Amino acid sequence: ADVRVDSVVKRPPTDVFATFRIMEGKPILLTDLAISGLDSLSEKERRSVREGLPLRTGQPFNLALLQASVDTLVWRLRSRGFPRADAFREYAVDSAARTATAGIALEPGRRMRVGTIRVEGTERVDSNVVRALMVTREGRVYSQSELFSSQANLYRSDLFRLAAVSLDTAAFDPQDTLVPLVVRVSES
């Protein structure tokens, strides 16, 4: 409605040059961002998970920032012991009032700990060396960020040209409280 587009086209004999001038107009402001599904977390954890999201009330509404906020929330939950965390988003825009509301419904699932860590691909390097290089350990609260840090440590060791640390989906039982991991390496 408030957006205006102006264009200029120049046509020399062998080319075409198009210039577009876009005047955005007034932005649609986010008036409410509701986040639900964090009831199983402590108040301190809830604040920590929700703070500093890319999409903020009072700022222009942006679908990319809404998705970035969803991704941030899921990452934070997966790094706090919830490997099966997921999220669903919704939004409504009132073009006449130039406002929008958004909601993110989180489903953290169960908080879990790291179970067995299976190592694949070692030939010359002992699997205990692989485990020693990892940040995550059996019995610790599951953390996606610790899995990435473990993978980075394996690469930095220069012992491996390939290293992947992930949930062992073949051995994973969603009813269990332990998450089995698999470390796949290819030695340098």
Side-chain angles (χ1 to χ4, degrees):
D2 287 347
V3 177
R4 290 180 304 167
V5 179
D6 187 17
S7 63
V8 176
V9 178
K10 294 181 183 178
R11 295 183 183 174
T14 59
D15 297 311
V16 174
F17 296 97
T19 303
F20 295 94
R21 229 178 251 124
I22 301 170
M23 286 67 70
E24 293 180 348
K26 293 180 182 179
I28 294 175
L29 298 179
L30 183 68
T31 58
D32 184 44
L33 175 60
I35 299 170
S36 63
L38 297 175
D39 300 341
S40 64
L41 278 66
S42 71
E43 182 57 38
K44 182 179 177 183
E45 283 180 307
R46 283 194 293 269
R47 275 194 311 272
S48 176
V49 167
R50 293 161 59 156
E51 74 183 357
L53 293 175
L55 185 65
R56 298 174 188 202
T57 57
Q59 299 294 316
F61 177 66
N62 179 311
L63 281 174
L65 292 181
L66 175 58
Q67 187 58 50
S69 296
V70 167
D71 294 343
T72 299
L73 289 163
V74 169
W75 172 263
R76 288 175 180 172
L77 286 171
R78 289 182 181 172
S79 292
R80 285 173 172 81
F82 300 95
R84 296 178 51 91
D86 205 354
F88 303 92
R89 67 185 175 102
E90 63 182 3
Y91 64 92
V93 175
D94 182 342
S95 299
R98 314 286 312 151
T99 61
T101 59
I104 302 172
L106 296 165
E107 291 185 3
R110 298 173 68 181
R111 192 180 303 253
M112 300 175 133
R113 296 190 169 279
V114 174
T116 58
I117 300 174
R118 185 167 49 91
V119 178
E120 295 179 351
T122 54
E123 293 173 17
R124 296 177 312 245
V125 178
D126 189 271
S127 61
N128 289 325
V129 172
V130 173
R131 285 183 179 86
L133 289 168
M134 294 182 56
V135 175
T136 195
R137 302 270 189 262
E138 290 181 11
R140 287 179 63 98
V141 171
Y142 176 89
S143 170
Q144 188 73 46
S145 59
E146 283 190 3
L147 268 58
F148 285 147
S149 295
S150 295
Q151 186 169 306
N153 282 356
L154 292 167
Y155 274 118
R156 278 193 293 266
S157 74
D158 288 331
L159 294 171
F160 309 101
R161 60 185 156 98
L162 173 72
V165 181
S166 62
L167 190 117
D168 187 349
T169 55
F172 180 68
D173 176 2
Q175 302 307 316
D176 200 345
T177 59
L178 297 176
V179 178
L181 301 180
V182 61
V183 182
R184 293 182 177 94
V185 295
S186 181
E187 296 176 0
S188 294

